[in-house]
Amino acid sequence: MQAITKTMIEEAAAFIRRTTDVRPEIGLILGSGLGVLGDELEDAVTIPYEDIPHFPVSTVEGHAGELLIGKLQARNVMLMRGRFHMYEGYEPERTALPVRVMKALGVEKLLVTNAAGGINLDFAAGNLMLISDHINLTGKNPLIGPNDNALGVRFPDMSEAYSKRLRGIAKETAKELGFELKEGVYVGLLGPNYETPAEIRMLRTLGADAVGMSTVSEVIVARHSGIEVLGISCISNAAAGILDQPLSHEEVMETTERVKGQFLSLVLTVLPKM
Ligand code: HPA
């Protein structure tokens, strides 16, 4: 697989610029079942991923595979309905290519969302969790290979991967809305199988509160690019072994469907304050 080059990023960005006059300042990446937010955009242009030079195509059910650019709460946004996962066979730098393209288009802030399994025993399916930090257990890294200093430094700082400022805004907003907002550490694994109960016990011991198969490579690239990040997980199920029942993608989709109203109002209220 060809490495991501500055030319590829520029070609994708140039294509997108030709489709719209809107210059996005906030990027949004929507996880499984959370794509409804895209319906709220005003004056949106929709671009299928397959039309964008060098973009991969998302292959997962519940991940639509289109980029939307428009206005949301009077902010110019670039929204990804569907994302790319390493378990689909994409190299980590390719899963994060859209973040590079966002940066090239002028995005300075990123809201990443995902569906995740709840490891913390105080969490229930349907809770929303503010991501305070992450643990990258994918064994992969999107910054492997020669570093382009024009994109970011060789050894980026990750001590505030998820912006304290934006977390404060999200917590404040949840309080105003009267929502319970959990907070915790997201651990990113490769997938695509769900974890074993033994793995979940290990992850809990390691300090993780929620587990998923996305997000970490995007956030690493965002931080490398100097983009400020806010992360929200929808706890779609209790992680393996907590309840005496098997896990399924259907359950994940059902839960995200159930909490989409709360998710929408939280994001729509946070966005203008970002
Ligand atoms: N594990 C990993 N990824 C997930 C889960 C889970 O339990 N739920 C939603 N995405």
Side-chain angles (χ1 to χ4, degrees):
M1 181 65 74
Q2 194 191 356
I4 303 295
T5 62
K6 211 144 174 264
T7 311
M8 292 162 78
I9 297 164
E10 268 314 316
E11 283 171 0
F15 175 87
I16 294 165
R17 257 185 230 113
R18 283 197 294 275
T19 65
T20 174
D21 291 332
V22 174
R23 296 292 167 251
E25 42 160 345
I26 300 177
L28 295 111
I29 303 180
L30 303 181
S32 298
L34 301 171
V36 283
L37 189 61
D39 301 338
E40 306 292 318
L41 256 65
E42 287 160 44
D43 307 323
V45 295
T46 302
I47 315 170
Y49 292 154
E50 65 241 38
D51 291 355
I52 306 171
H54 314 297
F55 257 50
V57 176
S58 112
T59 61
V60 193
E61 237 180 285
H63 293 257
E66 56 195 18
L67 189 78
L68 285 80
I69 300 183
K71 279 194 185 292
L72 193 56
Q73 303 289 71
R75 304 295 292 268
N76 288 352
V77 304
M78 167 166 164
L79 180 150
M80 290 182 68
R81 188 133 67 171
R83 55 146 62 88
F84 312 115
H85 305 83
M86 289 182 266
Y87 64 71
E88 294 174 86
Y90 299 121
E91 292 299 320
E93 63 268 32
R94 195 162 279 262
T95 65
L97 170 66
V99 179
R100 294 275 184 224
V101 175
M102 284 177 181
K103 177 72 184 185
L105 290 170
V107 165
E108 295 293 342
K109 289 154 202 161
L110 175 65
L111 172 57
V112 281
T113 67
N114 56 52
I119 295 176
N120 187 320
L121 297 171
D122 291 335
F123 292 1
N127 284 160
L128 296 178
M129 184 192 89
L130 182 62
I131 305 178
S132 58
D133 205 348
H134 79 216
I135 300 174
N136 175 15
L137 272 194
T138 63
K140 305 230 178 192
N141 195 299
L143 306 181
I144 293 289
N147 186 63
D148 184 343
N149 290 319
L151 299 180
V153 296
R154 172 77 287 188
F155 302 110
D157 173 49
M158 291 292 282
S159 52
E160 204 183 308
Y162 299 82
S163 156
K164 211 180 230 177
R165 184 184 77 85
L166 294 179
R167 275 185 279 147
I169 291 172
K171 281 193 263 194
E172 192 96 326
T173 305
K175 207 190 266 175
E176 275 166 30
L177 295 171
F179 290 171
E180 184 184 16
L181 182 62
K182 304 284 191 186
E183 185 171 9
V185 173
Y186 174 91
V187 59
L189 269 61
L190 262 189
N193 59 284
Y194 291 116
E195 301 69 35
T196 65
E199 287 165 345
I200 293 301
R201 288 193 296 275
M202 174 191 75
L203 295 170
R204 187 179 297 121
T205 304
L206 292 179
D209 297 291
V211 57
M213 307 171 193
S214 66
T215 306
V216 292
S217 63
E218 297 154 356
V219 172
I220 290 169
V221 166
R223 296 307 296 139
H224 184 245
S225 312
I227 294 175
E228 198 181 4
V229 178
L230 177 64
I232 298 173
S233 292
C234 169
I235 304 300
S236 55
N237 56 280
I242 295 179
L243 304 175
D244 190 19
Q245 64 185 46
L247 273 51
S248 71
H249 189 54
E250 287 68 42
E251 183 189 3
V252 171
M253 299 302 288
E254 272 164 32
T255 308
T256 49
E257 173 69 24
R258 178 158 62 81
V259 301
K260 71 180 183 197
Q262 199 175 53
F263 170 77
L264 272 178
S265 46
L266 181 64
V267 171
L268 290 175
T269 317
V270 165
L271 207 75
K273 304 184 204 167
M274 277 180 76

